[in-house]
């Protein structure tokens, strides 16, 4: 049999850059998080769905494992490559094919960078509301494959809610084209759902039709300090009642997190650093004057009613960016190594007790440990940054930390993954959030769609 | 083998009403649309997921077909029963188990009537926004099984977007419990999606966790007359830009439809009956005074700019109901029989030409035919009421009408079902909207989840 690089080159035609061999692959880092050289048997760079189909057909005929790559910023080791696997990179499928301003849709290839789509939508007076820290490097295909969340889910939903249609290629090269552009389409099973959030294990997403929104023209932001968690939850509810769905971000920082990222040398704290909770929030609408008036009235009422201790409202875009940087730019938390990052979900009513429980477990295990907490609480989503505070075997510490974070989730119906997915990192914990019947159903889907287990093997289930 | 009625009674215990035999079943009408006595081998009325599981296990062991029933108001013959099939009715699983006002979720059994859930949500100051004409009889389980749409999709999405978690029973009785309550949960494949919109062919939905919204406190309504379709589309876009997502219904009636339902003896026409298009629209928000001011400003601007010919704004709830009745209560269209009802979707930009094409085809076929049109145009959804206007074989006429409505959809990427589903009625047209690869993938799912083809056999695919 010809070597895989040659077979793929033959399938993709004369283009010298269409398939990279191991030496050229090694010039790339493994991922955003791992600077070590990438190792793979070949890296294919198709330009079209048809070419993706040919790559997969070649691999299928050879029982060759394939790992699909988007922006490589995922947090759960979902794109890790074994050295004998083929990487299928969608980096050359980066075209925005169409924006329909009346139907409010965009049709894009999977390799389009999220920020590029956001900016293109803006040029049409529209909004693509999926938004997350990695916006400058992650791809729309990766967002779809991981059902990405981010900071606007509270208003606009996860990536799944944005996907009207998609095109995917199955393990054997079969093209499933479901490029629906309508909000309503009940013509049989909605097969596109299979590919959203399945992390490249059931098919390769090559093109997507996404739903856009009218771009908001007003924006009001605040940083708020609070005395207890109940008030953070109450203000959220209050604003959602008072502002008619205009609340588009509500990000809660536990006090220790805020103090850590506002230590000298890091962000400037625009309020006292001794409060129990801090929230950065955005409200966006269509009528600047009226929206600001309603926003200020709602915040004023919240102050009067004793919900908030301090409020800062930025007077410029620079001030606004500085407030958001406290939430988004948390390098201060990585001063001490190692840091284990978590992404869990649970209902708001369980949050305060759950966080206290996790922190107590970690303190019992490691008295000098830190556990800084950040939450998209309206989505039921918390992130933890756990630092053991003591030397030890890294893998062992990670396992122990996992145990403390995940163990109390099961009985409250929480999830070990809110928005990051499962990848390889959380695979062995899936049983905490899913019953054996659910996992068996997932395995059945995997066996049915990818019987040879060639697509991103070893991930998710 | 014991007769099926006895076997089911044994499985469900001593309750005399748990299983009905054919004589009692025949006391019920076949459906909302068909008054003939229902015929079935047995009708099981389980009270819990566990009992549903027992019913399905008994049927599975006997290779017995099962048709699940909700409110029986579906439009595509999706709940039709062969006389030797077992009906599984969820009518006794009608409990609202919990409303969480902070997490904004409701946990309900599948047999809860939609309107009951709407009213219960209201009592908590919340909104369950799925809304459709059959609200008083259709069930939440039926809404989930058919991915119901309705009049609020433009703002709140289809039923699929409302479902956070669900419990379903597979053909062999296996219970899949995925009762997630969080907006974010990426713990493996989102298996609940399989059961939403699959019309009872892949599993029986028994319980659901739905997402609620804060109830709006302001509402503004208008009836608008327009000179051409472009203006109907332009006003839609204008209002979505100006009102920051508060537009919650935008229902377009083609002129002939409006004239027909406002004939003497039917609805009173509050505007001239000679316009080309009419729209009923709702705008809902959280700040009555400011919302009304913005609404009136937007409508005034639309008048100034020549988008609208006439506008009626109701001054009372009675006037509002009368406007909505023109849209919702279309019995006038059923004066002449037969009437074939359609539910298709396509992008707004294709609508005007598509409707003209369909109407021209019908006129060529039947010069005295009528084709009245109604559209949730913001969702890409049109409904047709086709009356041939000539005597003939009913089945043949229906087929010919189908041909005229569906044939032009294929090449514009439209769908033969926007919100009604496929059932048996549209099954043979599925290939117009779905490729053979998509249909083969659907079949593979059906074979994998229900290898004996026992769940609602003959429906969808």
């Amino acid at each position: 049999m010809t070597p895989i690089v040659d077979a793929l080159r033959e399938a993709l035609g004369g283009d010298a850059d269409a398939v990279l061999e191991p030496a050229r692959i090694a010039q790339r880092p493994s991922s955003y998080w791992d600077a070590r050289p990438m190792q793979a048997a070949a890296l294919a760079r198709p330009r079209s769905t048809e070419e993706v189909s040919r790559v997969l057909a070649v691999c299928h005929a050879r029982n060759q494992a394939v790992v699909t790559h988007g922006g490589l910023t995922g947090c759960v080791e979902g794109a890790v490559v074994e050295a004998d696997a083929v990487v299928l990179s969608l980096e050359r499928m980066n075209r925005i094919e169409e924006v329909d301003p009346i139907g409010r849709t965009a049709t894009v290839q999977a390799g389009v960078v999220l920020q590029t789509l956001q900016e293109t939508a803006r040029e049409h007076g529209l909004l693509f509301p999926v938004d997350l820290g990695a916006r400058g490097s992650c791809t729309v295909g990766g967002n779809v494959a991981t059902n990405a969340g981010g900071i606007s889910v509270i208003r606009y939903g996860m990536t799944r809610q944005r996907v009207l249609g998609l095109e995917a290629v199955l393990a054997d090269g079969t093209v499933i084209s479901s490029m629906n552009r309508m909000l309503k389409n009940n013509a049989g099973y909605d097969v596109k759902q299979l590919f959203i959030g399945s992390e490249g294990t059931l098919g390769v997403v090559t093109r997507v039709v996404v739903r856009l929104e009218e771009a908001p023209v007003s924006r009001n932001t605040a940083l708020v300090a609070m005395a207890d968690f109940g008030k953070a939850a109450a203000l959220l509810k209050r604003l959602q009642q008072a502002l008619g769905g205009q609340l588009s971000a509500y990000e809660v920082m536990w006090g220790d997190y805020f103090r850590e990222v506002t230590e000298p040398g890091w962000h400037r704290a625009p309020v006292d650093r001794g409060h129990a909770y801090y929230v950065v929030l955005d409200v966006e609408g269509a009528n600047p004057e009226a929206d600001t008036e309603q926003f200020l009235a709602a915040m004023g009422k919240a102050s009067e009613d004793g919900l908030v201790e301090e409020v800062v409202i930025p007077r410029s875009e620079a001030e606004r960016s500085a407030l958001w940087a406290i939430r988004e730019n948390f390098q201060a938390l990585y001063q001490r190594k190692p840091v284990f990052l978590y992404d869990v979900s649970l209902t708001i009513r369980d949050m305060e007790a759950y966080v206290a429980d996790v922190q107590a477990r970690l303190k019992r295990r490691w008295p000098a440990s830190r556990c800084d907490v950040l939450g998209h609480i309206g989505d039921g989503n918390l992130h933890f940054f756990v630092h053991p505070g003591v030397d030890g075997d890294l893998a062992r510490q990670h396992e122990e930390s996992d145990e403390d974070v995940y163990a109390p989730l099961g009985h409250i119906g929480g999830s070990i993954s809110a928005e990051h997915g499962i990848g390889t990192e959380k695979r062995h914990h899936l049983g905490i959030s899913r019953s054996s019947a659910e996992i068996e159903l997932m395995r059945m889907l995997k066996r049915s769609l990818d019987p040879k287990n060639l697509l991103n093997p070893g991930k998710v289930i």
Side-chain angles (χ1 to χ4, degrees), chain A residues 8 50 77 122-123 128 138 141 210 219 254 283 299 339 342 387-388 453:
Chain A
L8 290 170
E50 166 57 27
E77 308 281 356
R122 277 273 166 193
E123 287 164 15
F128 182 65
C138 66
V210 295
R219 184 163 59 190
W254 267 243
V283 176
M299 295 305 296
V339 172
Y342 292 93
H387 170 61
N453 191 26

Side-chain angles (χ1 to χ4, degrees), chain A residues 9-32:
Chain A
R9 282 191 173 139
E10 197 181 311
L12 294 187
D15 174 359
D17 294 327
V19 181
L20 310 187
E21 69 286 358
R24 279 181 78 188
I25 297 169
Q27 293 166 14
R28 302 175 163 219
S30 292
S31 76
Y32 173 82

Side-chain angles (χ1 to χ4, degrees), chain A residues 130-335:
Chain A
V130 173
D131 195 24
L132 54 152
R135 63 184 71 86
S137 52
C138 66
T139 64
V140 176
N143 299 151
V144 172
T146 59
N147 186 27
I151 58 177
S152 306
V153 171
I154 192 172
R155 178 162 178 179
Y156 296 106
M158 306 278 283
T159 300
R160 188 181 298 276
Q161 275 83 63
R162 292 290 118 201
V163 179
L164 296 175
L166 60 72
E167 196 162 85
V169 185
L170 301 184
D172 65 0
T174 301
V175 176
I176 304 289
S177 189
S178 288
M179 295 292 278
N180 168 67
R181 293 179 299 182
M182 290 81 72
L183 287 193
K184 289 179 174 170
N185 187 349
N186 276 346
Y189 307 157
D190 192 6
V191 292
K192 69 172 182 284
Q193 303 295 343
L194 287 168
F195 306 105
I196 303 171
S198 56
E199 304 182 38
T201 63
L202 298 181
V204 177
V205 175
T206 55
R207 294 165 71 221
V208 191
V209 183
V210 295
R211 181 185 184 188
L212 306 174
E213 302 288 332
E214 294 297 331
V217 295
S218 80
R219 184 163 59 190
N220 286 285
T221 298
L223 172 72
V224 183
M226 273 126 162
D228 62 57
F229 185 80
K231 289 177 176 173
L235 180 64
L236 169 62
K237 172 100 180 157
R238 177 82 72 93
L239 294 177
Q240 287 181 311
Q241 287 173 326
L243 302 175
Q246 296 194 340
L247 185 71
S248 51
Y250 192 86
E251 301 282 300
V252 179
M253 295 167 275
W254 267 243
D256 287 345
Y257 173 101
F258 186 86
R259 282 181 282 282
E260 186 79 352
V261 299
T262 56
E263 281 284 330
W266 300 96
H267 300 294
R268 192 185 70 80
V271 291
D272 190 283
R273 296 175 63 236
H275 296 293
Y277 295 87
Y278 299 83
V279 178
V280 181
L281 61 93
D282 268 351
V283 176
E284 296 181 316
N287 296 281
E289 279 182 40
D291 294 343
T292 300
E293 200 175 298
Q294 281 165 28
F295 168 72
L296 293 176
M299 295 305 296
K301 186 79 174 37
S303 285
E304 273 169 39
D305 295 347
L307 285 182
V308 306
E309 305 298 309
E310 288 191 70
V311 180
V312 177
I313 293 175
R315 287 157 304 181
S316 66
E317 187 54 36
E319 283 188 13
R320 178 183 180 277
S321 297
L323 292 189
W324 266 102
I326 296 172
R327 153 63 186 89
E328 286 207 314
N329 199 335
F330 38 69
Q331 271 140 359
L333 300 179
Y334 285 88
Q335 291 173 81

Side-chain angles (χ1 to χ4, degrees), chain A residues 105-128:
Chain A
T105 60
T107 305
V108 307
Q109 292 184 319
V112 167
V113 169
L114 171 58
Q115 190 169 337
T116 306
L117 173 55
Q118 291 173 335
E119 288 168 359
T120 303
R122 277 273 166 193
E123 287 164 15
H124 290 82
L126 296 166
L127 174 73
F128 182 65

